[in-house]
Amino acid sequence: MPESERKEEVLSRLKNIKGHIEGIIKMVEEGKECEEIMLQIIAVKKALEKVGYFIIESHAEKCLSDVENKAQIQKILNIMMKFLS
């Protein structure tokens, strides 16, 4: 994926998370149940983790792009992602 597409993907995901957080703020202001709020916070946490993984994976792909063996790159990326998840 080209760097400009990666950037747009990250920004899109972060904007989605921002909207989700704004929803949580509204829930708190409206006095929603703790359980409802916590479930939304968990969802935001997971979404933020996924963005972090995407950034790490994209950075690793870019850094490893000079390696000639593309299968080896994919193997390294798969190991990294398993480790991080």
Side-chain angles (χ1 to χ4, degrees):
M1 175 183 300
E3 190 170 340
S4 61
E5 286 182 31
R6 286 186 189 123
K7 182 178 179 178
E8 288 303 315
E9 177 70 19
V10 168
L11 288 173
S12 174
R13 290 176 185 221
L14 289 172
K15 288 175 184 177
N16 188 356
I17 292 167
K18 179 182 175 184
H20 211 115
I21 291 171
E22 289 170 354
I24 294 170
I25 291 169
K26 186 176 178 182
M27 291 175 74
V28 171
E29 290 172 344
E30 294 173 351
K32 297 289 183 180
E33 293 293 322
C34 178
E35 184 177 354
E36 291 179 61
I37 295 169
M38 292 307 297
L39 287 174
Q40 296 306 312
I41 290 172
I42 291 167
V44 167
K45 180 181 172 189
K46 294 287 185 188
L48 198 53
E49 286 175 355
K50 286 182 182 181
V51 170
Y53 296 151
F54 181 79
I55 290 170
I56 290 169
E57 182 178 24
S58 296
H59 180 71
E61 281 179 4
K62 184 178 175 184
C63 290
L64 295 172
S65 63
D66 293 336
V67 176
E68 292 185 24
N69 184 342
K70 298 298 180 184
Q72 184 65 20
I73 291 172
Q74 191 57 52
K75 181 179 176 183
I76 292 167
L77 291 174
N78 289 339
I79 291 168
M80 283 178 54
M81 296 312 292
K82 285 178 185 176
F83 176 77
L84 294 171
S85 59

